[in-house]
Amino acid sequence: MTSLSQIDLIVVIVYAIGIFGLAQWVSREKAGHEKDTSDYFLASKSLPWWAIGASLIAANISAEQIVGMSGSGYKLGLAVASYEWMSALTLLIVGKYFLPIFLKNKIYTMPQFLEQRYGRVLPVIMAVFWLALYVFVNLTSILWLGSIAVHQVAGVNQNAALIGLGAFALLYQLYGGLKAVALTDIVQVTLLVLGGLVISYLTLDQIGGGQGVIAGFDVLTQRVPGHFNMILEPNHPFYKDLPGIAVLVGGMWIANLSYWGFNQYIIQRALAAKNIGEAQKGVAFAAYLKLLMPLLFVLPGIAAVILAPGLAVGDEAYPTMMKLLPTGLLGLVFAALVAAIVASMASKINSIATIFTLDLYAKGRGMSTRAEDGVAVVEGQEKHLVLVGRLVAALAVVIALIATRPLLGNSDQAFQFIQEFSGFFTPGITVIFLLGLFWKPATEAGAIVAAVTSVLLSYILKMSIPSAMLPDALNAYLFPFMNRMMFVFVVSLFLAMVVSLLVRGRGDANRVTMEGVTFRTTTAFNVAGLGVILILIALYATWW
């Protein structure tokens, strides 16, 4: 455990005051205008591309991912970068094929899409699931691992760090809603990138004996060549985590499509765009930022193999590398770490408020709603619903603070089960949305079967593999979680299609229209997409 110097502390305080003030300033309203649901939940449908791209990354990257990516880099090497690099390609698919349908149908939440496409039962089930996931898994994990990082780097009492992070993330977005979060995320992401670049530069320079980062990188690749294989062989000790070619053509696609395409706190940024063109430019910008992430967070972990050999836990790699930072820069990088925690938490808090208020509270109270420019407008109830959203945001943080230590402090097993259980839903969610978007015969009965099959089959395989009843080859294939996810996806997809054909839905159940939807994209988006693909080909060809 280290502690911050006075200069470092001043840097962090300036950051905190500056970002809080900026959030309130960018989300202010014109004289005489009170915030309505459009302003609070979808940033007035006015987000420019740079805010969308930066906010997508800020919502995605938090302390547990920074520390976790670096720790995985320390243990298994560059292969973990596939999570980031394949996400870049996924974002392009989301921008080209998913967003045109969502924006044309004026979708503002994922449960709302499910209601317009399937009926009224499924969206309630999924809304409750997402709320539970965001509060008890996402918020608690960010709070706990973020507080550990703050404790280790700054020497702050962990309980104080827990409360401080939760309170700051809540207050930071409580007044302004999504606009306060999204329009300040460019600052948060800039800090993230700067902080990561500083640590990567210093670690590589030290490995290279002060001869610069290129010399340091050459030394690093020569001394730990085994850490620079992107596709792991079956005999690799971490093959079960990243099963070879499956990262390119297997189960990773299921996780990525679910996360980037059908996840409220991610997709909400793109749904708040000025128009489809801005949304697509935003996801292209985010794709390039994802290509950069391994340089910022995986590379320092690999460097730690040389600079800090023998670490008991891989997750100690990033905090250990932070100790290389001189006074002042430590404050900057620590501020970047806090920025990641706060931005990611604020994103989830706002999405919790959005789903509860618009998908459960308003509809449960029978409030009259209409879609206006893609936003749920509740007649005569705008002020009331914004208040409900703020109260729910505060309540979510309080619940997460209370639940964090029981879930993570005393029983890692319980939390691991909760995390894995949430992953059990991923194949089913992907099936439900892909069929809903692109297969007209899909019905609510089929979608519910997909969700149930996904959870039950995932759990059965988790508990029974390897099994004496199965051939060795099938046991070997199903043992890695990523392969199990692909298998469950295929089974869930098949059953959903069969049930949909057997059990017909109501004639008026599908209110999602494809009329006027076009998958043609601008030259700028196409060029940006081609650039991402060429970079990915070069990266995998070099480090295969």
Side-chain angles (χ1 to χ4, degrees), residues 219-241:
V219 172
L220 186 62
T221 54
Q222 290 166 19
R223 290 185 58 179
V224 286
H227 274 61
F228 286 89
N229 296 321
M230 288 301 303
I231 306 299
L232 303 182
E233 298 294 330
N235 60 355
H236 194 282
F238 291 97
Y239 181 82
K240 68 181 189 306
D241 300 309

Side-chain angles (χ1 to χ4, degrees), residues 53-78:
S55 197
L56 283 168
I57 299 305
N60 167 236
I61 300 294
S62 188
E64 80 272 18
Q65 281 188 281
I66 293 173
V67 173
M69 272 194 286
S70 191
S72 295
Y74 184 83
K75 289 292 186 182
L76 63 92
L78 191 63

